[in-house]
Amino acid sequence: MGRTPCCDKNGLKKGPWTTEEDHKLTSYIQLHGPGNWRTLPKNAGLQRCGKSCRLRWTNYLRPDIKRGRFTFEEEETIIQLHSILGNKWSAIAARLPGRTDNEIKNYWNTHIRKRLLRNGIDPVTHAPRLDLLDLSAILGNALCHVNPAASLLALLAAGTQSPPSLLNPELLRIAAALASLKQENPELYHQQQQNLTDSQTTPSQLIQLQQADLERFLELNNNNDNNSGSQVSGQDNFASLPNDFGFWNTIPELSENCRSFQSCGAGLSGNNNGNGSDWYQSSLISGGGGNIGNADSSVISTPLSSPAQVTPTSSNFVNGSLSASTTTEDERESYCSSLLKFEIPESLELLDDFM
DNA sequence: AATTTAACCAACCGCCGAGCG
DNA sequence: GCGCTCGGCGGTTGGTTAAAT
């Protein structure tokens, strides 16, 4: 199947297109329609190969192309489709009106892929990188949606391998998830609670290992709130902890783990139907999952589609999600940062319910 | 202000499959 | 069945711009 490259011929121009060339190509296609790319450049008076013309038209000049930044919904769609289709950019583009495969591919490679990698998620398999992450965080995130109670158990079980005085950051996160579930879907919440009751493990025994630190932490958080009258970021809160607070300050890895603690908003997504996709996708975008020791604001283990526990200050926050049409990446980052604000929900008392 | 580095993205390259004679 | 062309696709490059030093 031999084939001569269409651009090998001398005299054919390469490189960036000029306005005049764009005008010639657009005018010709408006008159004759696209197609027959081999003869098109000659007929249109262009010193380009047909392939170059086709790419210019399909990726840039086509009138139905949507320019500008990708919206939040588009980003979610790309991730979702990529998890199913892989690098089938044209197939993904077919689901995103106005976006070209080239544009999606570029956006994936320059934005989404990097973000997933930063968050410890393999951009190829969409699975957490076990070699990079803390196992308990992975377990927590993976199970959180399916079965919060089981997730709690898993995390607590993982916690038993840590020094007893270590406050497992996932514990509060899962607790917040359960709190959110209780508010959003009481029926499912009680079902999960029943699952926990039916299990052979006694959570009270496990949770007691961490209860002391949990109480001290909440006490500190309350003091901070009372003193400042404002919310305190998670990192600041940890920074304010006394050095003898638990065991973590003696071990760098544990210290980092705790400093990366991000609370609240970890509830299940608004879609509590057992399909984990939107929670998963939101986690990918917002940076969910086992980010350890990374203060990057893009790695927030909080699903954007679950705002129940957070109070975003961004004006773009509309109806429980970012206002997609106006959301820039900077604003998204800002929004993510706002999710770091500390708000231990009152319903965290539900931990006692498990006791 | 100048230089270096990083990020972005349009465009190119090469491979592939469909279709045709 | 073979050879060829065409259009499509995914990977990669390199020029431009922005940010950092």
Side-chain angles (χ1 to χ4, degrees), chain A residues 128-325:
Chain A
R129 291 277 298 273
L130 295 176
D131 55 327
L132 295 178
L133 297 177
D134 172 72
L135 183 58
S136 68
I138 294 167
L139 280 172
N141 281 325
L143 294 174
C144 179
H145 182 80
V146 179
N147 189 334
S151 178
L152 178 59
L153 288 175
L155 289 163
L156 289 171
T160 60
Q161 298 169 11
S162 304
S165 58
L166 169 64
L167 171 63
N168 188 330
E170 294 297 336
L171 177 60
L172 285 178
R173 226 160 60 76
I174 297 306
L178 291 165
S180 174
L181 177 63
K182 189 177 185 179
Q183 288 180 343
E184 296 175 10
N185 193 335
E187 190 178 342
L188 180 58
Y189 167 78
H190 288 299
Q191 183 185 333
Q192 299 295 357
Q193 206 173 16
Q194 188 61 45
N195 289 343
L196 184 64
T197 305
D198 293 341
S199 70
Q200 297 299 311
T201 313
T202 54
S204 60
Q205 290 175 345
L206 293 170
I207 206 168
Q208 275 175 357
L209 295 174
Q210 319 224 9
Q211 188 67 19
D213 274 351
L214 175 61
E215 287 172 359
R216 289 187 65 188
F217 177 79
L218 291 174
E219 186 181 348
L220 269 172
N221 189 69
N222 286 336
N223 290 340
N224 281 336
D225 282 349
N226 292 338
N227 293 338
S228 66
S230 61
Q231 295 174 340
V232 182
S233 77
Q235 291 177 0
D236 289 345
N237 215 341
F238 270 101
S240 69
L241 293 176
N243 288 336
D244 63 348
F245 189 85
F247 188 80
W248 61 66
N249 282 306
T250 63
I251 302 176
E253 289 81 2
L254 301 180
S255 175
E256 284 303 302
N257 195 336
C258 289
R259 288 187 209 293
S260 73
F261 169 57
Q262 290 128 11
S263 176
C264 310
L268 307 183
S269 72
N271 174 11
N272 284 327
N273 61 4
N275 177 342
S277 62
D278 70 340
W279 166 82
Y280 173 58
Q281 301 304 341
S282 297
S283 299
L284 295 181
I285 290 174
S286 62
N291 42 298
I292 303 302
N294 189 341
D296 191 320
S297 63
S298 68
V299 285
I300 313 299
S301 52
T302 304
L304 293 178
S305 54
S306 179
Q309 307 300 325
V310 297
T311 310
T313 55
S314 168
S315 59
N316 286 323
F317 187 80
V318 177
N319 294 332
S321 66
L322 283 173
S323 174
S325 60

Side-chain angles (χ1 to χ4, degrees), chain A residues 10-230:
Chain A
N10 291 333
L12 292 185
K13 190 181 172 189
K14 291 169 67 174
W17 281 66
T18 65
T19 308
E20 185 185 0
E21 287 176 314
D22 283 345
H23 181 68
K24 281 183 179 177
L25 181 58
T26 305
S27 301
Y28 183 86
I29 291 178
Q30 280 173 350
L31 281 175
H32 303 92
N36 202 358
W37 295 106
R38 176 162 284 262
T39 58
L40 184 148
K42 185 181 177 182
N43 295 335
L46 290 162
Q47 298 299 310
R48 295 272 182 176
C49 68
K51 194 171 190 173
S52 181
C53 294
R54 181 176 56 81
L55 282 174
R56 183 64 180 172
W57 173 256
T58 55
N59 287 339
Y60 198 83
L61 296 176
R62 236 173 50 204
D64 58 330
I65 285 181
K66 188 200 289 183
R67 313 302 302 179
R69 306 181 77 94
F70 280 76
T71 66
F72 179 69
E73 272 83 3
E74 286 176 320
E75 203 168 310
E76 267 197 326
T77 303
I78 291 170
I79 294 173
Q80 195 168 21
L81 290 173
H82 187 273
S83 69
I84 300 167
L85 301 169
N87 291 1
K88 304 291 184 188
W89 305 118
S90 59
I92 294 172
R95 300 286 199 91
L96 287 167
R99 300 294 188 182
T100 69
D101 55 350
N102 202 41
E103 192 178 13
I104 293 170
K105 178 176 59 183
N106 281 333
Y107 189 73
W108 174 271
N109 287 328
T110 57
H111 293 85
I112 301 175
R113 185 173 174 276
K114 288 178 185 175
R115 194 175 303 163
L116 294 182
L117 285 171
R118 273 206 308 270
N119 299 341
I121 295 172
D122 190 323
V124 177
T125 64
H126 289 247
R129 291 277 298 273
L130 295 176
D131 55 327
L132 295 178
L133 297 177
D134 172 72
L135 183 58
S136 68
I138 294 167
L139 280 172
N141 281 325
L143 294 174
C144 179
H145 182 80
V146 179
N147 189 334
S151 178
L152 178 59
L153 288 175
L155 289 163
L156 289 171
T160 60
Q161 298 169 11
S162 304
S165 58
L166 169 64
L167 171 63
N168 188 330
E170 294 297 336
L171 177 60
L172 285 178
R173 226 160 60 76
I174 297 306
L178 291 165
S180 174
L181 177 63
K182 189 177 185 179
Q183 288 180 343
E184 296 175 10
N185 193 335
E187 190 178 342
L188 180 58
Y189 167 78
H190 288 299
Q191 183 185 333
Q192 299 295 357
Q193 206 173 16
Q194 188 61 45
N195 289 343
L196 184 64
T197 305
D198 293 341
S199 70
Q200 297 299 311
T201 313
T202 54
S204 60
Q205 290 175 345
L206 293 170
I207 206 168
Q208 275 175 357
L209 295 174
Q210 319 224 9
Q211 188 67 19
D213 274 351
L214 175 61
E215 287 172 359
R216 289 187 65 188
F217 177 79
L218 291 174
E219 186 181 348
L220 269 172
N221 189 69
N222 286 336
N223 290 340
N224 281 336
D225 282 349
N226 292 338
N227 293 338
S228 66
S230 61

